[in-house]
Amino acid sequence: MSRKQTQSKKVVRKRKKKKKIRVFRLLIVIFVVLAIIAGIGNIYYRSASKAVDPKSNKEIIVEIPEGSRAKDISTILRDEKLIKNKRVFISNVKNSKNAEKVKAGKYKLSQNMDNKMIIDKLVAGKVYQDGIKITFPEGSVSTDIVDKLVKSGLGKRETYVKLFRSPKEFSKKYNFLSNNKITTLEGFLYPETYFFKKGTSEKQVFEKMLAEFEKKYNKNIMPIVEKNKLDFYDTVIMASIVEKEAINDEDRDTIAGVFYNRLDKNMKLQSDAVLQYGLPERKSRVLYKDLEVETPYNLYIHAGLPPTPVANPGIESLMAAANPKKTDYLYFVTGTDGKNYYSKTFEEHKVHADKYHKDLDAKESKDKKNSSSSKGSSDSKSSNNKKESKDNKSSSSEKK
């Protein structure tokens, strides 16, 4: 090989080497630029995910319509200046894997909330409730419910009474009310805390309560009722009795079992709580003369269940009625200590019942003596004493 050729090859190699160096340097520059861009993008992403104004205390009410997608929600929030960037919010929602879990409704949000806080609230369904708030305790009867509604300015008593006695008015929307045995809405006005807007009609109020019953029943109770081959309406009636008779939650399924055992043996239920429902007015204590009052709710006279529920039961009592505890008990007494005493025979039961009456008489005598010290004290003690007597007596009948 000539000297000229050798020099030519060296030149070519140098050129290739320089070219590789330039390519390598270019790749480094590109990598650095991309890293800077990624870093800036990450910083922006994190910044855009933060609160619009951490110092703001202003609260904004937004409504998320049913079926809204992340894109729709981002538009609503951006319009209200609750998020910085729509695309970033959408990305946050997708990364949280909760895009399908966002719940519709009204929400109270603020500019001091970051995207994660907003998403968590929408997913948890912590909706903002406005309007008139009314709480109906478990065991409320229709008259108590209507009283509260009317006093809160939600409709007229006459309209509620008419609707209450016309369950077929609601049967198209709530199929369970098409049962011919159902003559009133007692038992189906689910006890819960509700928020009603001013101007809500009487029918809309009842529909909201019926919808809550249907939701709770279908999800938690219906599968058990069907499995145990129970009658729907009879289960609700039994649940209402349990609701009125039970003082402690842990006794509900046992009490239900006692009543079912009595029905199986064709024994009268003899429930004071049921009898109270059929009396012209509620009493602090059921008297012996009341046991002779002719009413379909006097289960000292009539066998079987009462014709309707005697209250609006909560989920625990519905569950107990659908799935009673299996025992051999036929009687129970709730003592003055608040505990239930169960018996398999009337002889055992009589011992518990006699002790209850003796303890109750002693307690009332003591309370009466203490209350006589002053008129103001007397009024207060009398009120409390009546309540205790009512609660205890309603769940301590001498069932024979």
Side-chain angles (χ1 to χ4, degrees):
M1 182 183 294
S2 65
R3 185 177 178 182
K4 189 175 180 179
Q5 287 176 324
T6 301
Q7 287 177 341
S8 177
K9 283 185 177 183
K10 284 181 180 181
V11 171
V12 171
R13 280 199 296 270
K14 283 182 180 181
R15 286 177 180 173
K16 285 183 178 181
K17 188 176 181 180
K18 286 181 180 180
K19 187 176 181 180
K20 285 181 179 180
I21 291 172
R22 284 198 299 269
V23 171
F24 181 71
R25 287 174 177 171
L26 181 60
L27 289 173
I28 290 175
V29 170
I30 293 171
F31 178 78
V32 170
V33 170
L34 290 175
I36 292 171
I37 293 172
I40 293 172
N42 187 47
I43 292 171
Y44 177 77
Y45 182 86
R46 282 185 292 174
S47 175
S49 300
K50 292 181 179 179
V52 173
D53 183 1
K55 295 180 181 180
S56 174
N57 291 318
K58 182 181 178 183
E59 293 178 326
I60 300 170
I61 307 299
V62 298
E63 184 161 4
I64 307 300
E66 197 73 45
S68 295
R69 298 172 299 172
K71 183 180 178 181
D72 304 320
I73 297 170
S74 69
T75 300
I76 294 169
L77 297 177
R78 186 70 185 88
D79 289 345
E80 294 292 343
K81 297 181 173 57
L82 287 163
I83 59 173
K84 294 181 177 180
N85 185 284
K86 290 167 61 174
R87 289 184 179 179
V88 171
F89 180 82
I90 293 170
S91 178
N92 290 153
V93 173
K94 290 180 178 178
N95 290 338
S96 71
K97 298 180 180 178
N98 284 319
E100 304 301 321
K101 297 179 181 178
V102 172
K103 297 175 179 65
K106 281 185 179 180
Y107 291 88
K108 184 186 285 187
L109 306 174
S110 173
Q111 290 182 331
N112 62 26
M113 300 173 69
D114 61 23
N115 287 5
K116 184 180 183 304
M117 291 171 67
I118 292 174
I119 293 167
D120 288 345
K121 195 163 188 176
L122 298 181
V123 170
K126 295 180 179 179
V127 296
Y128 169 69
Q129 301 283 12
D130 54 355
I132 301 169
K133 179 182 178 181
I134 307 181
T135 298
F136 303 108
E138 289 86 352
S140 296
V141 296
S142 59
T143 50
D144 295 334
I145 289 172
V146 170
D147 281 346
K148 278 194 173 185
L149 290 168
V150 173
K151 286 178 182 177
S152 299
L154 284 165
K156 298 179 180 178
R157 186 181 306 278
E158 312 84 70
T159 307
Y160 281 120
V161 171
K162 185 178 178 181
L163 288 170
F164 173 77
R165 294 172 179 169
S166 308
K168 293 295 185 290
E169 282 277 323
F170 304 88
S171 60
K172 284 187 179 179
K173 195 169 185 178
Y174 304 102
N175 189 55
F176 62 87
L177 291 174
S178 60
N179 187 320
N180 289 327
K181 291 196 297 182
I182 299 174
T183 56
T184 72
L185 295 181
E186 195 78 84
F188 306 109
L189 302 176
Y190 193 80
E192 184 64 271
T193 295
Y194 295 92
F195 292 85
F196 299 106
K197 292 181 180 178
K198 285 186 178 181
T200 301
S201 71
E202 294 89 343
K203 187 172 184 179
Q204 289 172 328
V205 168
F206 275 170
E207 282 180 340
K208 192 167 186 177
M209 300 179 78
L210 291 169
E212 193 65 22
F213 171 87
E214 185 178 58
K215 182 176 73 174
K216 291 284 197 304
Y217 181 86
N218 288 354
K219 181 180 178 182
N220 303 288
I221 310 301
M222 185 167 65
I224 304 172
V225 168
E226 292 179 349
K227 180 183 176 182
N228 293 339
K229 297 180 180 179
L230 298 173
D231 179 83
F232 160 71
Y233 194 40
D234 287 350
T235 302
V236 178
I237 293 174
M238 179 61 79
S240 73
I241 299 174
V242 171
E243 190 69 72
K244 281 298 189 182
E245 291 278 8
I247 290 178
N248 303 309
D249 286 344
E250 61 268 22
D251 287 315
R252 294 178 193 274
D253 57 350
T254 307
I255 290 175
V258 170
F259 284 123
Y260 279 123
N261 287 345
R262 293 178 71 86
L263 289 173
D264 289 342
K265 292 182 178 293
N266 295 317
M267 297 173 69
K268 293 183 177 69
L269 297 190
Q270 298 183 323
S271 166
D272 285 7
V274 177
L275 176 57
Q276 284 270 23
Y277 188 82
L279 295 178
E281 59 181 21
R282 297 178 203 172
K283 300 185 175 184
S284 59
R285 293 184 68 172
V286 170
L287 305 176
Y288 283 111
K289 66 178 182 179
D290 296 323
L291 306 185
E292 300 175 0
V293 175
E294 177 50 52
T295 164
Y297 296 93
N298 187 345
L299 302 187
Y300 286 89
I301 297 174
H302 301 287
L305 292 168
T308 71
V310 295
N312 293 281
I315 192 68
E316 291 85 1
S317 291
L318 285 164
M319 186 68 75
N323 194 29
K325 189 173 183 179
K326 302 295 182 184
T327 71
D328 294 325
Y329 297 134
L330 293 171
Y331 310 87
F332 71 92
V333 169
T334 303
T336 54
D337 57 1
K339 294 181 181 178
N340 273 14
Y341 295 88
Y342 301 95
S343 307
K344 298 177 183 178
T345 67
F346 179 70
E347 288 70 29
E348 288 180 90
H349 170 68
K350 194 172 185 307
V351 173
H352 295 312
D354 288 345
K355 184 179 186 305
Y356 161 72
H357 288 299
K358 183 179 178 180
D359 291 345
L360 182 61
D361 289 341
K363 186 176 185 301
E364 289 182 339
S365 177
K366 183 180 178 181
D367 288 345
K368 187 176 181 181
K369 190 178 292 184
N370 291 338
S371 66
S372 63
S373 59
S374 69
K375 187 177 185 303
S377 174
S378 176
D379 291 341
S380 173
K381 289 286 185 180
S382 175
S383 175
N384 290 333
N385 193 38
K386 284 181 180 179
K387 183 179 185 301
E388 288 174 4
S389 297
K390 177 184 175 183
D391 289 344
N392 283 321
K393 185 60 181 171
S394 69
S395 55
S396 62
S397 309
E398 289 190 41
K399 300 180 176 64
K400 300 177 182 179

